[in-house]
């Protein structure tokens, strides 16, 4: 604070009197009030006396011979993190700007605020130097910095105790834990709490994936919710290495390896009876390691077939195929289309004491009690084909192959399906007909495909309309017909559109399955053996009344479950 000499204001207060911005009485009262309320004199002048902050900074610069700094032009992502405690910044209204060697430069609006510089120096062990900035700009910068700190140090205090009463996070079943390299930064409480909060927030929002992404000038975290990626937070860019190290330690990866991709798992125990696994993958990019966490909720495998959204005729075909003692059921679609949930639902239906069920997966996503699950590991020679050979020597009834990727795996799986075993697997294809073409292109003989494959399920996941806010869509009848609706569909159709409310995100909440289920009939088998292409196979499937993906999506739209926009997003017209 400015001192008074001979009863008159001095220092900045005296200069304000000279400049005519205050009279002596006003200056004296302002000094006394600022002292009484324990706030910096300049802040009091701006907030209470309403002196223009730009003018005040100009006068302070002249009075103390200090150069002014435009903090508004300073990129907040470069502000030092974790150097000064937020309590000190708030208490002294002083913000650390940058450090150079052993000197820390502090933004202040009152250069006489020596108490701030001294206490920050004591706590940091760094020499401090004041940088004069405009008060209003300083207030804004401190608010932004504080918000960033809240994001970093935000804990789990807002969690409902009955849902998340015993949170415990750790790695899952990895061969060996990495050695500690002495990097203590991965144990810093703000980083730990921030990562924990992101994981829990993702679970609470129903996300399926979490993306930690470093870029040249910023860093972002995104959730995939209802199949769409949304940005949720932008931590400071300079925290990228510490966030990466923390996630790698949690999933028992080698934190010193930054040049090669790595895989790991994290288990979060939410309560006595519920835990969730995260499948973790790192990818070296131009500006650091991108880390993606796939959220694996065991409850999704316990949904039951009725919750998956099959049409009655599709459900009937799936159940009949599962009851067959042999044959192959293929579930196809792109990544994130729900193939794993469909497979695990089928396995749960088959999981009875009298059946020997074995699965080969890369990786094992959800642990199913009563089923022998094998995590394939190419590094030691345990690939899908080798696992299948071993299964066939152990008297299996049901075999699940995580994915058919090559001819060797396809041939062994088909041989198993032809010799009294029920085989379930996946392929990354867009439709049922293309699945047949893919197997043929791999080199599997057409006869083997036609006689072993019994059912193909191609699927997508569409965003379900929010029940609270969806509204009727005003779409001309002719336009609906052009989109693929039939007059029969439109007879009792309820075409709705997304609106958006507090209970949802952009008018959508949850997802619904869209399926193309094709049973390999004798006619389709003949088309396959006659080297029919995917178009001919698809045409044959339509003649049997098997709905393609778009028809199934239009049915869901007519039922008011999804919007027409969503139909066009997930299917091809």
């Amino acid at each position: 604070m400015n001192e008074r000499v001979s009863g008159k204001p001095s220092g900045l207060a005296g200069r304000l009197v000279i400049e005519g911005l205050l009279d002596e009485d006003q200056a004296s009262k302002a000094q006394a009030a600022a002292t009484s309320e324990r706030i910096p004199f300049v802040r009091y002048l701006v907030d209470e006396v309403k002196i223009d902050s730009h003018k005040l900074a100009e006068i302070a610069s002249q009075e103390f011979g200090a150069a002014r700094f435009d903090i508004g032009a300073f990129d907040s992502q470069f502000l030092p993190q974790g150097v000064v405690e937020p309590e000190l910044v708030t208490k002294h209204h002083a913000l650390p700007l940058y450090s150079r060697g052993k000197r820390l430069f502090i933004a202040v609006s009152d250069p006489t605020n020596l108490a701030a510089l001294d206490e920050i120096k004591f706590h940091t062990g760094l020499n401090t130097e004041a940088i004069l900035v405009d008060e209003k700009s300083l207030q804004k910068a401190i608010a932004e910095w504080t918000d960033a700190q809240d994001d970093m140090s935000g804990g789990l205090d807002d969690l409902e105790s009955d849902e998340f009463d015993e949170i415990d996070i750790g790695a899952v079943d990895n061969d060996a834990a990495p050695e500690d390299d002495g990097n203590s930064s991965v144990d810093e409480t703000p980083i730990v709490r921030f990562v924990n909060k992101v994981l829990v927030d993702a679970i609470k929002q129903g996300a399926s994936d979490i993306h930690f992404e470093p870029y040249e000038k910023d860093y972002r975290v995104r959730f995939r919710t209802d199949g769409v990626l949304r940005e949720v937070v932008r931590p400071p860019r300079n925290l990228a290495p510490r966030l990466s190290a923390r996630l790698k330690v949690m999933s028992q990866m080698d934190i010193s390896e930054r040049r090669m991709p790595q895989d790991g798992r994290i288990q979060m125990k939410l309560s006595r009876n519920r835990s969730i696994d995260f499948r973790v993958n790192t990818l070296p990019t131009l500006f650091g390691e991108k880390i993606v966490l796939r959220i694996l909720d065991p409850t999704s495998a316990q949904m039951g077939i009725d919750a998956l959204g099959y049409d009655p005729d599709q459900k009937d075909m799936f159940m009949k195929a599962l009851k067959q003692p042999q044959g192959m059921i293929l579930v196809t679609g792109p990544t994130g289309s729900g193939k794993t949930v469909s497979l695990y639902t089928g396995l749960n239906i088959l999981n009875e004491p009298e059946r020997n069920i074995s699965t080969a997966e890369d990786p094992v996503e959800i642990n199913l009690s009563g089923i022998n699950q094998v995590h394939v590991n190419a590094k030691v020679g345990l690939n899908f084909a080798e696992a299948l050979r071993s299964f066939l020597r152990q008297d299996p009834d049901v075999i699940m192959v995580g994915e058919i990727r090559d001819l060797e795996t396809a041939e062994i799986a088909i041989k198993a399906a032809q010799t009294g075993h029920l085989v379930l697997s996946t392929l990354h294809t867009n439709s049922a007909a293309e699945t047949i073409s893919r197997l043929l292109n791999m080199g599997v003989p057409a006869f083997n495909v036609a006689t072993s494959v019994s059912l193909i399920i191609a699927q997508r996941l569409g965003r379900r309309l929010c029940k609270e806010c969806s509204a009727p869509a005003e779409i001309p009848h002719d336009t609906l017909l052009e989109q693929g609706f039939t007059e029969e569909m439109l007879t009792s159709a309820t075409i709705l559109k997304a609106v958006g409310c507090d209970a949802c995100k952009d008018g959508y909440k949850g997802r619904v399955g869209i399926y193309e289920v094709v049973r390999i009939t004798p006619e389709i088998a003949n088309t396959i053996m006659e080297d029919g292409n995917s178009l001919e196979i698809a045409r044959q499937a339509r003649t049997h009344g098997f709905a393609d993906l778009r028809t199934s999506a239009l049915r869901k739209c007519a039922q008011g479950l999804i919007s027409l926009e969503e139909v066009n997003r997930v299917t091809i017209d």
Side-chain angles (χ1 to χ4, degrees):
M1 282 316 155
N2 298 289
E3 297 179 357
R4 300 187 65 189
V5 180
S6 302
K8 294 183 178 182
S10 62
L12 182 59
R15 184 59 180 264
L16 293 174
V17 172
I18 294 173
E19 296 289 338
L21 294 177
L22 296 175
D23 59 34
E24 291 186 5
D25 185 55
Q26 289 175 321
S28 298
K29 288 182 179 179
Q31 283 184 303
T35 302
S36 174
E37 296 179 23
R38 296 184 178 181
I39 62 176
F41 181 50
V42 172
R43 185 175 184 182
Y44 182 87
L45 291 173
V46 171
D47 292 346
E48 305 298 332
V49 185
K50 306 302 181 184
I51 293 180
D52 181 76
S53 62
H54 294 288
K55 182 66 175 177
L56 191 57
E58 182 180 341
I59 292 173
S61 176
Q62 295 171 358
E63 176 66 19
F64 300 108
R68 291 174 58 191
F69 180 79
D70 183 8
I71 196 173
F74 191 80
D75 193 336
S76 61
Q77 70 169 324
F78 295 115
L79 293 174
Q81 305 292 329
V83 177
V84 179
E85 292 295 326
E87 292 79 9
L88 286 179
V89 172
T90 303
K91 175 183 176 181
H92 293 296
H93 199 58
L95 182 65
L97 277 180
Y98 60 93
S99 60
R100 185 174 297 159
K102 291 292 184 179
R103 299 187 70 80
L104 181 64
F105 294 84
I106 309 294
V108 295
S109 58
D110 184 355
T112 66
N113 190 4
L114 301 180
L117 301 179
D118 291 342
E119 189 166 355
I120 291 174
K121 177 180 179 180
F122 174 79
H123 282 276
T124 63
L126 300 173
N127 295 320
T128 54
E129 186 170 324
I131 300 291
L132 180 62
V133 299
D134 170 74
E135 168 62 24
K136 285 290 188 183
S137 298
L138 179 60
Q139 290 182 13
K140 181 180 178 181
I142 290 178
E144 292 175 352
W145 183 87
T146 302
D147 288 343
Q149 295 302 302
D150 288 342
D151 285 339
M152 291 306 303
S153 61
L156 309 177
D157 299 335
D158 59 339
L159 297 179
E160 300 173 7
S161 60
D162 57 339
E163 184 179 4
F164 302 103
D165 56 349
E166 290 185 349
I167 291 178
D168 180 28
I169 303 178
V172 178
D173 293 337
N174 280 9
D175 294 335
E179 295 182 2
D180 185 3
D181 69 345
N183 187 352
S184 62
S185 63
V186 298
D187 294 324
E188 294 175 13
T189 299
I191 296 293
V192 171
R193 292 176 65 83
F194 173 73
V195 171
N196 290 356
K197 186 176 189 301
V198 167
L199 301 190
V200 175
D201 284 349
I203 295 170
K204 293 171 70 177
Q205 294 181 30
S208 60
D209 303 89
I210 310 171
H211 294 244
F212 291 83
E213 301 172 314
Y215 296 97
E216 182 178 11
K217 295 183 178 179
D218 57 9
Y219 190 99
R220 69 179 177 181
V221 179
R222 294 190 292 172
F223 293 168
R224 186 180 294 278
T225 308
D226 297 334
V228 178
L229 279 169
R230 294 183 177 88
E231 183 177 308
V232 292
V233 66
R234 280 184 177 262
R237 174 64 181 84
N238 57 2
L239 292 179
R242 290 153 62 185
L243 289 170
S244 174
R246 174 58 187 165
L247 289 166
K248 288 162 77 173
V249 166
M250 292 170 68
S251 50
Q252 289 195 350
M253 298 180 189
D254 182 357
I255 64 174
S256 65
E257 177 56 74
R258 301 180 181 89
R259 299 169 298 175
M260 294 292 294
Q262 295 188 70
D263 292 292
R265 288 171 76 93
I266 299 172
Q267 185 176 77
M268 175 181 283
K269 185 176 181 182
L270 300 176
S271 65
R272 293 181 181 88
N273 302 315
R274 185 186 179 196
S275 64
I276 288 181
D277 290 350
F278 298 83
R279 191 179 74 195
V280 187
N281 176 264
T282 69
L283 178 67
T285 68
L286 190 60
F287 301 107
E289 290 178 289
K290 174 176 178 176
I291 301 180
V292 176
L293 286 73
R294 169 68 61 88
I295 300 175
L296 309 174
D297 188 352
T299 59
S300 64
Q302 310 293 332
M303 292 171 57
I305 193 168
D306 291 329
L308 297 184
Y310 285 98
D311 291 338
D313 58 329
Q314 295 174 334
K315 172 187 171 183
D316 185 57
M317 284 189 285
F318 189 20
M319 293 299 294
K320 285 182 178 178
L322 290 172
K323 291 178 181 178
Q324 297 299 314
Q326 66 184 48
M328 178 180 288
I329 299 173
L330 294 174
V331 182
T332 75
T335 300
S337 60
K339 300 188 297 296
T340 299
V341 173
S342 291
L343 281 178
Y344 281 9
T345 300
L347 289 175
N348 270 323
I349 293 172
L350 295 167
N351 190 12
E352 297 177 351
E354 61 268 20
R355 288 196 178 97
N356 177 18
I357 303 176
S358 296
T359 72
E361 305 173 61
D362 183 19
V364 174
E365 296 199 355
I366 297 174
N367 179 33
L368 298 176
S369 178
I371 293 177
N372 308 292
Q373 295 173 273
V374 175
H375 184 134
V376 300
N377 187 348
K379 292 181 180 179
V380 298
L382 180 59
N383 54 25
F384 283 117
E386 191 61 36
L388 280 174
R389 290 192 187 95
S390 181
F391 290 167
L392 293 175
R393 293 192 288 269
Q394 294 202 345
D395 187 31
D397 297 301
V398 179
I399 295 172
M400 194 271 273
V401 186
E403 182 183 351
I404 294 177
R405 298 176 179 174
D406 52 50
L407 176 60
E408 185 181 18
T409 303
E411 287 180 334
I412 299 173
I414 284 175
K415 185 179 295 183
Q418 292 174 331
T419 55
H421 308 92
L422 181 62
V423 179
L424 288 76
S425 190
T426 71
L427 279 170
H428 282 85
T429 57
N430 292 323
S431 67
E434 290 178 38
T435 302
I436 299 296
S437 297
R438 176 72 182 279
L439 289 172
L440 296 175
N441 291 336
M442 281 184 181
V444 180
F447 176 80
N448 286 341
V449 174
T451 57
S452 60
V453 178
S454 57
L455 190 75
I456 303 174
I457 302 172
Q459 65 181 75
R460 302 290 189 276
L461 290 176
R463 292 180 293 170
R464 186 187 295 269
L465 284 165
C466 175
K467 296 179 180 180
E468 302 294 328
C469 65
S470 57
E474 302 294 334
I475 304 175
H477 186 80
D478 290 344
T479 301
L480 293 175
L481 292 176
E482 291 174 1
Q483 290 292 316
F485 286 96
T486 64
E487 291 289 357
E488 183 182 358
M489 287 184 195
L490 295 175
T491 301
S492 58
T494 305
I495 311 297
L496 302 177
K497 65 180 180 180
V499 177
C501 66
D502 293 337
C504 66
K505 292 184 181 295
D506 305 323
Y508 300 97
K509 189 172 184 179
R511 290 196 281 181
V512 60
I514 299 168
Y515 304 94
E516 175 189 21
V517 181
V518 174
R519 179 171 53 84
I520 305 302
T521 64
E523 294 78 10
I524 293 177
N526 284 333
T527 302
I528 295 171
M529 288 189 288
E530 292 172 358
D531 293 327
N533 59 36
S534 60
L535 293 177
E536 293 170 334
I537 296 171
R539 193 178 303 117
Q540 186 69 248
R542 298 296 84 77
T543 63
H544 284 79
F546 302 141
D548 60 14
L549 280 167
R550 185 163 183 87
T551 301
S552 294
L554 291 171
R555 289 177 181 174
K556 295 288 193 300
C557 181
Q559 295 167 12
L561 297 176
I562 63 176
S563 66
L564 185 56
E565 291 81 4
E566 192 67 4
V567 171
N568 290 324
R569 187 182 74 86
V570 299
T571 67
I572 301 174
D573 190 3

